[in-house]
Amino acid sequence: MFSMIESFRSALQSIRAHSFRSFLTSLGIIIGVASVIAVVSILQGLSASISDNFKGLGANSLSVRAETSFAEAMQGKENILSLTDYETIVAHVDDVSDVSPYFMPFSMSAAVRYGSQSTVTRVMAVTEAYQQAQQVEPQQGRFLRKSDDQSRRRVCFIGAEVRKKLKLADNPVGTFIEIGGEWFKIIGVGEEKGEMMGMNKDDYILMPFSVGTAIAGNSAKLNIGISLTVNDIEQLEAVQARLTNLLRTAHHLKPGQPNDFKVQTAKEMSDMFEGMISTLTLVVGGIVSISLLVGGIGIMNIMLVSVTERTREIGICKALGAQRHHILLQFLIEATTLSLLGGLVGLGVGYAIGFGVSKIIPEFPSAVVPWWAILMALGFSSLVGIVFGIMPAAKAANLNPIDALRYE
């Protein structure tokens, strides 16, 4: 224990004696750790934000949509989910509620105008049940009702971002706006939900499903999505399986033939995005961590120079009774300390960079540094110091005391 403490003291004394050189030696480790932590903190912050957003959908919610494989798309084929599928689900699937079809009557987006202001936004045709299935709450006014759908009223429910873009009043309920050349009366404004992955969740307009169907024209070719709520969360997987079997039968799919639709829970969608983020974290983190190896080579180079400079000192220590393992431990601890200090500084710099970048980008989630990233950064930097410090330490420990004392 005394030998260990003395070796550590000697290593720190040597680092202080050559403080500027020690800083330059650790610079490679600092840059490497800072790069890894910055990338991980930004991506993990994004992952945490995605998880929080999907939690807002409700753990017992399901969504059904058509899915076209890449091979089918290349052949010009597009699978659709029709109104017949919606009616089949309503008629044959129990233990569910708030079953709502939805689709975009103006394709991906539509031009919206109010006075001299205009913008482009997502427009969806939905039913009353969409509110509960997607957890949409009005900030002003009310949501769409069944009577709006039945009487095909030209009314709409807008997101808070649309109100800002069109420079509407704080309470625009009762105001008329033009959507795709058609006039609609605003009956409600949704609560603000912010952004997710660069997409503003408040930039939307909802209209009655029957009105959207009339605007789209041919309802037989509508490609709809379906959202629903499972009454008992314990039955979530069972309902998901029943939905899958029902739609496979309705679409006349043979055994072994892939589904032309997707039935997903909010958790599955969250897991899918988190999986993508995790893969991206590993790939990008692996690329930037190469700089840690460069930093390790820098440490080995400087430590070899240090051994050469201190050859007479090593000879004196051995002449006074220092054993081989004392010299080995002293230089190994010095290399590891240099690397570990660089890791600690890099950890702070990396978090500062990640936090700064997340604040510079508008509406981007805050950076998050998970505990495993901290342990990985410090552990890997220590490992680099040990691995790249072994050769210089071994060289110092193997010096012949007589030759070392005669070294000029």
Side-chain angles (χ1 to χ4, degrees):
M1 180 60 70
F2 176 77
S3 176
M4 179 74 73
I5 294 172
E6 185 62 22
S7 296
F8 190 71
R9 184 198 63 79
S10 178
L12 287 178
Q13 187 175 12
S14 176
I15 291 170
R16 280 198 302 267
H18 305 90
S19 56
F20 187 65
R21 187 175 74 179
S22 298
F23 169 73
L24 293 178
T25 304
S26 301
L27 194 57
I29 299 296
I30 293 171
I31 294 172
V33 171
S35 302
V36 172
I37 293 298
V39 169
V40 169
S41 65
I42 291 170
L43 292 177
Q44 288 301 305
L46 184 60
S47 178
S49 175
I50 290 171
S51 297
D52 290 341
N53 279 291
F54 275 111
K55 283 176 184 176
L57 291 178
N60 59 336
S61 64
L62 281 175
S63 67
V64 188
R65 58 178 174 80
E67 186 173 61
T68 304
S69 66
F70 179 75
E72 290 174 323
M74 292 298 291
Q75 296 171 5
K77 183 181 178 182
E78 181 186 8
N79 296 321
I80 68 169
L81 207 63
S82 66
L83 283 172
T84 304
D85 294 319
Y86 162 68
E87 292 164 358
T88 302
I89 290 173
V90 171
H92 296 92
V93 180
D94 299 323
D95 303 320
V96 296
S97 57
D98 303 321
V99 185
S100 173
Y102 59 88
F103 76 101
M104 295 184 176
F106 299 99
S107 187
M108 295 302 294
S109 59
V112 184
R113 187 171 63 85
Y114 172 71
S116 61
Q117 304 298 321
S118 62
T119 185
V120 176
T121 186
R122 292 176 293 125
V123 179
M124 291 205 304
V126 302
T127 65
E128 179 188 27
Y130 186 86
Q131 180 181 11
Q132 292 300 321
Q134 296 295 319
Q135 303 292 303
V136 180
E137 296 298 331
Q139 190 174 30
Q140 278 114 20
R142 63 174 178 84
F143 195 74
L144 302 171
R145 292 174 181 164
K146 190 174 182 180
S147 58
D148 298 325
D149 209 0
Q150 290 173 337
S151 58
R152 295 192 177 186
R153 289 181 188 146
R154 295 298 177 104
V155 294
C156 65
F157 183 90
I158 67 172
E161 184 66 18
V162 175
R163 178 180 59 188
K164 293 176 184 176
K165 287 182 175 180
L166 295 179
K167 297 183 179 179
L168 296 166
D170 291 340
N171 187 356
V173 175
T175 304
F176 284 85
I177 59 174
E178 186 181 347
I179 306 173
E182 306 280 345
W183 287 97
F184 285 79
K185 180 182 178 181
I186 298 174
I187 59 169
V189 181
E191 288 184 346
E192 292 192 42
K193 292 188 175 182
E195 290 195 1
M196 182 176 71
M197 298 187 70
M199 186 179 75
N200 195 310
K201 298 198 295 180
D202 301 312
D203 194 3
Y204 66 87
I205 294 178
L206 305 178
M207 65 174 61
F209 190 83
S210 59
V211 176
T213 304
I215 290 173
N218 190 353
S219 60
K221 293 185 178 180
L222 289 181
N223 186 10
I224 68 170
I226 302 170
S227 61
L228 52 93
T229 303
V230 180
N231 296 333
D232 183 3
I233 195 170
E234 300 293 331
Q235 298 296 316
L236 186 66
E237 291 184 3
V239 171
Q240 190 175 9
R242 288 207 302 272
L243 274 170
T244 301
N245 293 331
L246 181 66
L247 290 176
R248 283 187 64 86
T249 302
H251 292 189
H252 307 292
L253 296 176
K254 298 176 182 178
Q257 196 173 350
N259 294 334
D260 57 1
F261 58 89
K262 189 83 171 178
V263 182
Q264 280 186 309
T265 64
K267 185 178 185 304
E268 286 174 340
M269 288 189 283
S270 174
D271 290 344
M272 180 183 70
F273 279 108
E274 286 181 4
M276 291 167 57
I277 295 295
S278 298
T279 303
L280 188 61
T281 302
L282 287 174
V283 172
V284 179
I287 292 172
V288 298
S289 64
I290 293 173
S291 56
L292 282 171
L293 298 178
V294 178
I297 294 171
I299 286 177
M300 182 171 65
N301 184 40
I302 296 300
M303 291 304 298
L304 285 170
V305 172
S306 179
V307 169
T308 304
E309 286 180 347
R310 295 157 62 184
T311 300
R312 284 181 61 82
E313 177 191 327
I314 296 168
I316 292 171
C317 290
K318 284 200 166 187
L320 293 173
Q323 299 296 314
R324 180 179 181 277
H325 69 272
H326 293 139
I327 305 298
L328 181 71
L329 193 61
Q330 178 183 340
F331 279 88
L332 196 57
I333 287 177
E334 187 173 332
T336 305
T337 303
L338 272 173
S339 186
L340 187 58
L341 288 174
L344 287 168
V345 175
L347 187 64
V349 173
Y351 178 72
I353 293 172
F355 185 80
V357 170
S358 67
K359 292 300 179 186
I360 290 171
I361 301 174
E363 301 295 333
F364 199 84
S366 297
V368 174
V369 181
W371 62 269
W372 57 262
I374 297 173
L375 293 180
M376 182 187 72
L378 297 180
F380 199 72
S381 58
S382 300
L383 184 64
V384 165
I386 293 171
V387 170
F388 287 94
I390 284 177
M391 184 183 291
K395 181 183 177 182
N398 290 330
L399 285 175
N400 186 291
I402 303 299
D403 293 335
L405 285 168
R406 290 189 305 187
Y407 183 81
E408 295 293 339

